[in-house]
Amino acid sequence: MMGLFAILVIWNLVVFVIYGEDKRRAKRGLWRISEKTLLLSAVLFGGIGALLAGHVFHHKTRKVYFQIIWWIGVIIDCVAIVAIIRNLT
């Protein structure tokens, strides 16, 4: 079960990096990561990473639908963490 927790942490780090990379590309006028990819990565167990990245990089914070998806992702992450902890005991 600790392996699942490690995967969850790594995935959230990946999502954090994806959001940071999209912000970097936005600043440089390069080809962007699609909003669909950003939103899916957040809702599919990456809510914590997306929420943190949004605030650290000041990226997509004005878009309400991103904030809604981020918080849904955080809730999904929390449910997964609780399930992992319950299976450990």
Side-chain angles (χ1 to χ4, degrees), residues 21-85:
E21 176 62 16
D22 188 54
K23 180 65 176 193
R24 185 187 71 81
R25 291 179 184 188
K27 285 182 175 180
R28 295 183 179 186
L30 300 173
W31 190 268
R32 304 281 301 280
I33 297 168
S34 73
E35 285 192 349
K36 181 179 178 181
T37 298
L38 294 173
L39 291 167
L40 278 174
S41 67
V43 80
L44 297 175
F45 300 98
I48 295 170
L51 181 68
L52 290 174
H55 291 287
V56 168
F57 300 119
H58 305 289
H59 192 48
K60 303 289 188 188
T61 55
R62 292 185 181 168
K63 296 191 175 192
V64 174
Y65 57 95
F66 266 88
Q67 291 188 29
I68 291 168
I69 293 296
W70 292 346
W71 283 108
I72 290 171
V74 167
I75 292 167
I76 291 169
D77 282 350
C78 289
V79 168
I81 291 166
V82 168
I84 290 168
I85 290 170

